[in-house]
Structures are given as C-alpha cells and as structure tokens.
Amino acid sequence: MASSHCFAPFVFLLLLVGCSGRPFYPLPSKLAHGDRQPLQTSRPYNIAHRGSNGEIPEETAAAYMRAVEEGADFIETDILSSKDGVLICFHDVTLDETTDVAEHKEFSNRKRTYEVQGDNTTGFFTVDFTLKELKSLRVKQRYPFRDQQYNGKYTIITFEEFISIALDAPRVVGIYPEIKNPVLINQHVKWADGKRFEDRFVETLKKYGYKGSYLSKDWLKQPAFIQSFAPTSLIYVSNLTDLPKIFLIDDITVPTQDTNQSYWEITSDAYLDFIKDYVVGIGPWKDTVVPVVNNYLQTPTDLVSRAHAHDLQVHPYTYRNENSFLHFDFHQDPYAEYDYWINEIGVDGLFTDFTGSLHNYKEWSSFKESDDKNASNLLHKIASMVSSYGRA
C-alpha cells in the first residue's frame, strides 16, 4: 500500500529503539498525515491480538507496527504495571515465558510466589520490577514453532508508547487495551495519590484524547475498546469514561477473577441484561461458543444469538493459522475458519494472531461480494432488455 511507505521511517525508528533498549517516548500524532483513512465499520473488526504476534514476539512495538501495516482495524494489548506504577504492555503477570529474565543474574533473587486467580503462581512478576529494570529485558516468541529470529531484539513497551503507535499510523487505527489482572495489580502496586490501577488506566487514555461512546464522532476519530475479564473493573471505569467496553469471558471451567462467578452465570440472559448497561459487547473464548470434541466442531451454542438479542457485539478469541490450533473441520485452511465464524456464526470482530491473513480474507471476500453483486445487476439488465424486446 502506498501509505506504508510513509510509515516506513517510523517503523525503522522503532526497530532501532527496540534493539538498543533505550526507552522510547515519542510525542503522539506529531507526524504529518493529513486526512487519514477512517476506520472501517461495515465488516467484522480485525483485532490484532498482542500485535501480529504470529510473526513477531507479542506485545512489542515491532509486532504492533507489523499489524498496522497488515491492515488491522484495532491493535490489542494487555496492560499491567511495573513496581513503580508505570503501565506496561505485557500479557503474563510473570516474565518467565516471554522474556530473557532467567538469564539476568542480577534478578535471580526476584522470584516470588503469589496467589493469582485462586492459584499459587511462582515466577518473576512484573510488579516486582521497576520500568528501568523491565526495559533491560528482551522479549522472545512464546511458541517454539513460530519464527525465532526476532528473539532478544525488542523491549517491553509502555502503554503510552503503544498509544503512540496507533496515533502515528498513516490511517485511523483503533486500540483495544485490557485491564489485566486488576486484583493482583491493586494488591501489589500502590500509587502515591491513592488511585487504583483502573484510575491510572483511564487517565492515560484521557491524556491522549480517547473519549466518546461507540461510533460517536469523537470515538471514530480515535477508536478504542476497553476490555477486561473482571466485571467490577468494567463497572468501575464506566463511571470514568464513556468509551465502549467489552466483557471478556474465559473457558467454562474458569470463574471470574474478581467476583468468582461461573461461566454459566455470566452468560445467562439475566446477566447479559445486567452487564449491557456497562458494556457494548462480550469477548468469549471461541471454543465455548462452538464446543470442540476430539478437535472437531460440535453444534454451536446460542451465545452469539442471545448476545445480539441483548444488543451486545461478540468478539471471540483467538484465531491462529497453525495446524495445531485449526480444528479438523477447516482442513488446515485459516480462511475457511474465518469464513465460518463471520458468515455462519455471525461474529462482529475477531482476535487474531495473524492480522495479515484476516485482512487478506476480508479483502478477498469483499471483492467476491462486489463481483457477485455486479454479475447480478448485469443479469437483471439483460433480463429487462429481453423482456422489453419481447413486448415490442
């Protein structure tokens, strides 16, 4: 795309910063883009899950840049906190699986055991490291079967750095940050002014101009969804901002982390009717929407239709290209999976590790729909001409 050339110098700058390890604090929206292409709202949203992390290590600047280049509507991130209260982009509450923290002897005494969602978890927790210390670490690919060439090249980024990537994109790109593990963060990180994690989260969004209800003029200018598995956090922030919120729903065996409610309770019609006053949609694990047995799809549940009946969008997670994640029904074809979920299940957005694949599918299917419509119009014109000739 022509616009990607304008983006290239900024991408190169981020890659240099990632390799050097120096903190990167750009001034958002200082690049000259003129009138940017608006967010598309007519098709299901392409949500770049932790960036384009099927290709580049998750939650890094490079992964988010790649997602923007590949056509993401939204770039998604998980927000945690450092020991000194700086909000960062990182998925796990521990650093063990996706950083080189174990190779840093200076941190060998930082391993702790904390209760996380009812279970004791041992590891190197983000809340025990300052931002400066976190910046000294390097991120690596989570899965061994994905490209390993980028391991050790990029640093953990802050929430503000993440926001700058969206604001400096050559077109309007939304953000989709998660209030991650708020119970743990509020237990271990204390801000001097007595504010909560959720307060800092919303303050950061407001600082960079994110505001407005879903599809409002302000929202379309800087689109954002706030997501969380914790209903109390979503209800709390609903009093702080009118930005649209998404209630994430875990596997059927996992209760809510803050209210200890079961899957069956939070997906009941009564609860959907309650939560719709605070959120515009739900984000369920896709295998709870369509159950799977022996890697084969079973009869879909009615969760999507019931959510839609309550005026709630449905954004399932997570779509991945690899055969180890694709169910047998799709014959190792991620396009077939996208087609099923968009056209048969009828979802409104998809969290994907492979932004480019979903974008290509949507482009291909939109052209096909356009071709079909043109062909239909042509047939109608021919029929009309034939009919007129017959009457003459």
Side-chain angles (χ1 to χ4, degrees):
M1 296 184 297
S3 59
S4 65
H5 297 302
C6 301
F7 207 26
F10 193 52
V11 175
F12 182 66
L13 174 61
L14 275 178
L15 296 182
L16 286 179
V17 171
C19 294
S20 67
R22 291 183 289 108
F24 174 54
Y25 296 101
L27 294 174
S29 288
K30 296 304 179 183
L31 300 183
H33 295 308
D35 293 328
R36 300 194 299 173
Q37 177 183 337
L39 176 76
Q40 73 81 22
T41 57
S42 62
R43 293 180 289 171
Y45 292 127
N46 183 342
I47 305 162
H49 182 241
R50 309 178 205 168
S52 189
N53 84 87
E55 302 173 65
I56 297 175
E58 65 186 49
E59 312 261 7
T60 60
Y64 291 120
M65 287 299 198
R66 178 66 61 84
V68 171
E69 288 184 324
E70 291 180 339
D73 296 315
F74 289 84
I75 50 176
E76 186 265 354
T77 190
D78 306 275
I79 303 301
L80 292 171
S81 179
S82 65
K83 181 179 181 179
D84 47 348
V86 180
L87 302 190
I88 62 168
C89 298
F90 203 75
H91 179 268
D92 299 355
V93 293
T94 57
L95 300 160
D96 305 54
E97 192 164 357
T98 57
T99 76
D100 62 353
V101 65
E103 299 172 18
H104 288 254
K105 295 181 179 179
E106 69 272 26
F107 301 139
S108 60
N109 65 343
R110 298 289 182 89
K111 187 170 285 192
R112 301 285 187 274
T113 298
Y114 296 138
E115 182 180 316
V116 182
Q117 293 181 235
D119 296 320
N120 286 331
T121 301
T122 299
F124 296 95
F125 286 79
T126 67
V127 294
D128 292 322
F129 290 74
T130 65
L131 178 62
K132 182 178 180 180
E133 291 170 335
L134 291 172
K135 286 286 189 180
S136 72
L137 306 177
R138 295 294 178 271
V139 182
K140 61 183 179 180
Q141 181 58 257
R142 179 179 295 272
Y143 297 110
F145 47 79
R146 290 182 175 172
D147 193 348
Q148 304 294 303
Q149 69 169 311
Y150 302 107
N151 290 351
K153 292 186 177 182
Y154 307 118
T155 63
I156 293 171
I157 63 172
T158 67
F159 192 11
E160 293 190 75
E161 290 168 348
F162 166 81
I163 288 172
S164 74
I165 294 170
L167 294 184
D168 284 326
R171 57 186 173 80
V172 175
V173 175
I175 62 172
Y176 208 125
E178 178 183 346
I179 303 172
K180 192 75 176 179
N181 291 96
V183 175
L184 179 81
I185 299 301
N186 282 317
Q187 285 175 344
H188 294 274
V189 181
K190 304 300 179 185
W191 283 272
D193 53 8
K195 294 290 183 70
R196 291 170 49 165
F197 174 37
E198 294 90 339
D199 294 313
R200 289 301 191 205
F201 182 98
V202 173
E203 286 171 2
T204 304
L205 291 171
K206 288 182 175 180
K207 177 180 178 181
Y208 291 99
Y210 285 93
K211 60 184 178 180
S213 58
Y214 182 60
L215 294 182
S216 67
K217 183 178 180 180
D218 285 331
W219 187 86
L220 288 170
K221 183 179 179 182
Q222 292 183 207
F225 285 107
I226 296 173
Q227 55 170 331
S228 184
F229 286 97
T232 53
S233 290
L234 292 170
I235 293 170
Y236 181 83
V237 299
S238 70
N239 294 314
L240 305 177
T241 177
D242 57 353
L243 286 170
K245 300 150 195 79
I246 301 291
F247 177 37
L248 300 175
I249 299 174
D250 214 321
D251 190 43
I252 61 174
T253 62
V254 181
T256 53
Q257 60 185 259
D258 53 341
T259 58
N260 199 36
Q261 292 170 283
S262 72
Y263 170 87
W264 308 108
E265 181 179 351
I266 61 176
T267 58
S268 68
D269 282 322
Y271 194 82
L272 293 177
D273 195 52
F274 160 75
I275 202 68
K276 74 177 184 182
D277 289 337
Y278 306 98
V279 305
V280 300
I282 58 173
W285 167 235
K286 62 186 178 68
D287 285 1
T288 64
V289 178
V290 182
V292 176
V293 175
N294 296 325
N295 207 30
Y296 285 100
L297 299 177
Q298 305 301 298
T299 302
T301 68
D302 62 353
L303 181 59
V304 173
S305 61
R306 288 193 297 107
H308 285 165
H310 289 278
D311 295 322
L312 294 168
Q313 295 185 42
V314 182
H315 300 173
Y317 64 94
T318 304
Y319 297 85
R320 299 178 168 110
N321 285 11
E322 292 96 350
N323 293 341
S324 55
F325 296 115
L326 284 171
H327 302 311
F328 291 146
D329 308 72
F330 303 122
H331 310 290
Q332 302 179 5
D333 182 359
Y335 280 23
E337 183 178 37
Y338 292 139
D339 187 68
Y340 173 77
W341 282 91
I342 291 173
N343 294 315
E344 293 194 38
I345 302 302
V347 299
D348 309 289
L350 303 90
F351 287 76
T352 177
D353 285 3
F354 293 88
T355 313
S357 291
L358 179 52
H359 177 74
N360 290 339
Y361 166 77
K362 288 169 65 179
E363 290 295 294
W364 171 80
S365 59
S366 66
F367 283 131
K368 183 176 183 296
E369 291 168 5
S370 176
D371 291 343
D372 289 345
K373 184 179 293 185
N374 290 337
S376 177
N377 289 338
L378 179 59
L379 287 173
H380 281 297
K381 288 181 180 178
I382 293 172
S384 177
M385 292 171 64
V386 170
S387 176
S388 298
Y389 178 77
R391 288 194 297 268

